Amino acid sequence: MTHFHPFRPRALSLLKDYSRARFIADIGAGLTVGIVALPLAIAFAIASGVKPEQGIFTAIIAGFLISLLGGSNVQIGGPAGAFIVIIYGINQRYGLPNLLIATILAGGLLFLMGLLRLGALVRYIPVSIVIGFTNGIAVLIGLSQLKDFLGLKIADMPADFFGQVAVLSQHWREISPAALLIGSACVAIVLLWPKTYAMQRGSHDLKTQMKRWMSQLPGTVIALVGATVACYAFKLPVETIGSRFGGIPQGLPSFALPALSWDTARLLVIPTLTIALLGAIESLLCARVADNLTELPRHDPNQELMAQGVANIVTPFFGGIPATGTIARTVTNVRAGGSSPVAGMVHALSLLLIVLVAAPLAVHIPLAALAGILLVVAWNMGEWHEFARLRHFSLPYRTILLGTFVLTVVFDLTVAVEVGLILACVFFIYRMSTLFRVEPVALPGLAADTQVMRLYGSLFFGAVGKVEGLAEQVKPPCRVLVLDTEKLISIDTSGLDALQQLQRTLQRQGQALVLCGLNPQPASLIQRGGLADALGPEGIQPDLSTWLRQSQASAL
């Protein structure tokens, strides 16, 4: 029996029961998601410090592969807002070629994680850490967009939080009224544009029907088209995609082989781990959100990781950036009626068609409009209400959430998650150690030379101190210390060592140790560790009552 997870894409299940009605619904959902994805792909790429076409090519190639090979019926993959800060920092520090190499290496790591069935491990990351770094990334995304939102003439924006604050504070007097107006209008449109799924159903009122028809068009697209038309018609003095990047190529991306070498790969360990970690967390969180929105079969986390891996291996060869599952587009897919991976593949193909037909029009898109859209994305990404609820939770929860948030903002995601996990482990160890108890037990008819103690919880390395001091509490005339372990759930090697040390100390004092009511796990470790042999047949009893009857009978 193999320990590897089989490569079985969810799309293969379509061969069983895929109807014409589902196919039509998937095409409609895919076209809707493609329209939503276009402005986001462009905005994410520009905010990440790369060319806009790199975001579009990522949405096309990675989006198609993730849907084709993934383990979810409805998840949509592509460039994600959570990656903006990560990509920008890696691009600034290591350069674009090394960013592409790190993405390829991260893809290999993601595929390996899925192959080794490690998809479930991502679920063990505490929710406080996820909320902390998600809110931190949202703050950094919002901060990074102020430059274009305000129309500031800043040639090179730093990647770190304090550097960005310092540069923005130096240039705030250079605010462009036109850029601020365009950006603010886009924010208002995206926030206030009516949502189809929030409307009343069944109404035949003309106004309601018209409103519902208009709401079929995403607010991001309305904002982008409106801002572009306004800037072009009124010749507003704002920076556009054309003035900064020269436009978007009208055609397919070309294949290019990054210069991959072992010396380069060694320098990219941290960026690789960061991309892989964030990609795994984001994709599986998104898939879990999608599972809760539909009654379709739940996603396969290991297959999803393998699909993410393949997508991130292939996409950089065409200039693409890291990709993962995206919550906004996945939810849009579900709301639009998508029920199979076909919708995700149609979304990628529709983006490709838009690039082939309408790419020249992108030169007029104002960067302030994209910045406004991303400000809304950052706001929606953050779970700000969790800060208000912190007072209802324990000190460890508050410490981990706030610590992860601050470290994400001030340092980076990798440091934040590492420290957050360390804090979570420390608090967990402390909590588990407080749950372990040793309490004296009073039994009728107990001999004066016998003392009984009952153990509760788990005897592990964080709780051994409560056992190490028992020998000092056993004073003459006591000759036998009985430990009732019926409530002892588990024991580790440190706990075993503590019991062995207790047995030796008591033996030197002329006293005996008896264990009663061992559960399977402690009994197995005590047997394998040699303590059972040291105690002998009389030192291991099935339960406390049996031992008491035997001791009373021997006393008679």
Side-chain angles (χ1 to χ4, degrees):
M1 181 177 177
T2 180
H3 294 290
F4 296 130
H5 189 276
F7 191 82
R8 191 178 298 119
R10 184 60 59 85
L12 293 178
S13 64
L14 292 177
L15 301 176
K16 298 178 181 178
D17 54 353
Y18 193 62
S19 64
R20 181 173 178 271
R22 285 185 67 188
F23 179 65
I24 294 174
D26 285 336
I27 290 179
L31 293 174
T32 301
V33 177
I35 296 172
V36 173
L38 179 63
L40 295 179
I42 296 173
F44 290 159
I46 294 174
S48 300
V50 298
K51 295 179 180 179
E53 62 265 26
Q54 291 180 266
I56 297 178
F57 294 156
T58 302
I60 294 172
I61 300 171
F64 187 87
L65 291 174
I66 289 172
S67 294
L68 176 66
L69 305 176
S72 170
N73 280 59
V74 295
Q75 174 144 276
I76 303 295
F83 271 122
I84 289 175
V85 179
I86 307 301
I87 297 173
Y88 189 86
I90 296 174
N91 192 21
Q92 269 213 338
R93 182 173 181 180
Y94 299 95
L96 180 59
N98 287 329
L99 168 63
L100 300 181
I101 293 172
T103 305
I104 295 172
L105 297 175
L109 187 57
L110 283 167
F111 187 88
L112 190 62
M113 289 171 63
L115 188 66
L116 297 177
R117 301 176 184 268
L118 300 180
L121 293 181
V122 176
R123 299 177 182 175
Y124 297 142
I125 296 179
V127 65
S128 54
I129 294 179
V130 175
I131 293 173
F133 79 68
T134 302
N135 286 5
I137 290 174
V139 168
L140 292 174
I141 292 174
L143 185 65
S144 68
Q145 294 312 297
L146 292 181
K147 166 181 171 288
D148 289 331
F149 184 80
L150 301 175
L152 303 178
K153 303 297 183 182
I154 301 175
D156 189 19
M157 194 73 169
D160 64 289
F161 173 76
F162 293 111
Q164 289 183 0
V165 172
V167 170
L168 290 172
S169 62
Q170 293 170 3
H171 293 80
W172 69 270
R173 294 183 180 85
E174 304 168 8
I175 293 177
S176 166
L180 180 58
L181 177 63
I182 289 293
S184 301
C186 288
V187 170
I189 291 173
V190 174
L191 290 176
L192 301 177
W193 191 256
K195 309 295 190 294
T196 305
Y197 54 81
M199 294 183 182
Q200 294 180 355
R201 301 292 178 181
S203 174
H204 299 288
D205 176 71
L206 180 61
K207 182 178 179 182
T208 303
Q209 292 289 345
M210 193 69 179
K211 190 176 180 182
R212 181 177 292 122
W213 180 82
M214 288 293 293
S215 67
Q216 297 291 335
L217 298 173
T220 52
V221 174
I222 298 298
L224 198 65
V225 172
T228 303
V229 171
C231 290
Y232 182 78
F234 297 104
K235 307 297 182 184
L236 297 179
V238 295
E239 195 172 13
T240 64
I241 287 180
S243 62
R244 182 179 293 184
F245 301 101
I248 296 176
Q250 188 177 14
L252 297 172
S254 57
F255 180 87
L257 191 66
L260 181 61
S261 67
W262 173 244
D263 291 335
T264 303
R266 286 188 302 174
L267 299 175
L268 300 174
V269 173
I270 298 300
T272 297
L273 292 176
T274 303
I275 294 172
L277 176 65
L278 184 57
I281 294 173
E282 284 291 310
S283 64
L284 297 185
L285 284 178
C286 177
R288 291 177 67 183
V289 170
D291 287 343
N292 295 330
L293 294 175
T294 71
E295 296 181 358
L296 297 168
R298 298 186 68 83
H299 76 283
D300 179 348
N302 297 306
Q303 182 62 42
E304 193 61 35
L305 286 181
M306 287 193 281
Q308 303 284 340
V310 172
N312 282 286
I313 291 172
V314 173
T315 306
F317 288 103
F318 297 92
I321 55 179
T324 186
T326 57
I327 292 179
R329 277 158 276 176
T330 299
V331 172
T332 302
N333 183 34
V334 174
R335 301 290 189 189
S339 63
S340 80
V342 170
M345 290 184 272
V346 171
H347 131 267
L349 294 176
S350 64
L351 279 174
L352 177 60
L353 181 63
I354 292 173
V355 169
L356 294 177
V357 174
L361 300 177
V363 295
H364 304 296
I365 296 176
L367 298 182
L370 297 174
I373 292 172
L374 282 182
L375 285 177
V376 178
V377 170
W379 176 258
N380 292 334
M381 179 188 297
E383 298 184 51
W384 312 111
H385 61 279
E386 291 295 334
F387 289 125
R389 297 175 62 228
L390 281 178
R391 65 182 183 276
H392 300 301
F393 295 98
S394 63
L395 177 62
Y397 181 90
R398 296 197 296 266
T399 303
I400 294 171
L401 192 153
L402 292 175
T404 307
F405 170 76
V406 171
L407 289 172
T408 301
V409 172
V410 175
F411 293 99
D412 60 53
L413 174 68
T414 307
V415 173
V417 173
E418 289 173 351
V419 174
L421 286 174
I422 292 173
L423 287 175
C425 291
V426 170
F427 285 127
F428 177 77
I429 292 169
Y430 173 75
R431 177 60 178 160
M432 293 300 295
S433 67
T434 59
L435 294 177
F436 177 78
R437 307 193 315 274
V438 181
E439 296 181 354
V441 179
L443 295 175
L446 188 65
D449 63 349
T450 303
Q451 190 170 348
V452 180
M453 297 282 190
R454 182 168 290 144
L455 307 185
Y456 296 84
S458 296
L459 179 55
F460 69 113
F461 62 89
V464 294
K466 297 179 180 180
V467 172
E468 292 172 342
L470 286 180
E472 300 175 1
Q473 301 177 27
V474 182
K475 303 295 183 182
C478 181
R479 294 188 301 108
V480 180
L481 173 63
V482 180
L483 297 182
D484 180 12
T485 61
E486 186 178 358
K487 303 295 183 181
L488 183 67
I489 301 171
S490 64
I491 183 174
D492 69 354
T493 53
S494 296
L496 173 64
D497 182 69
L499 290 178
Q500 289 174 326
Q501 293 293 341
L502 174 62
Q503 187 269 334
R504 296 189 190 105
T505 303
L506 292 175
Q507 190 177 44
R508 287 195 299 268
Q509 297 175 179
Q511 298 161 326
L513 176 65
V514 178
L515 302 180
C516 298
L518 285 169
N519 286 305
Q521 191 275 335
S524 174
L525 185 57
I526 285 173
Q527 184 67 43
R528 290 181 284 114
L531 179 57
D533 294 333
L535 293 174
E538 299 297 325
I540 304 290
Q541 297 294 329
D543 52 62
L544 187 59
S545 59
T546 301
W547 170 83
L548 184 60
R549 286 196 302 269
Q550 292 179 355
S551 63
Q552 290 174 341
S554 62
L556 295 176

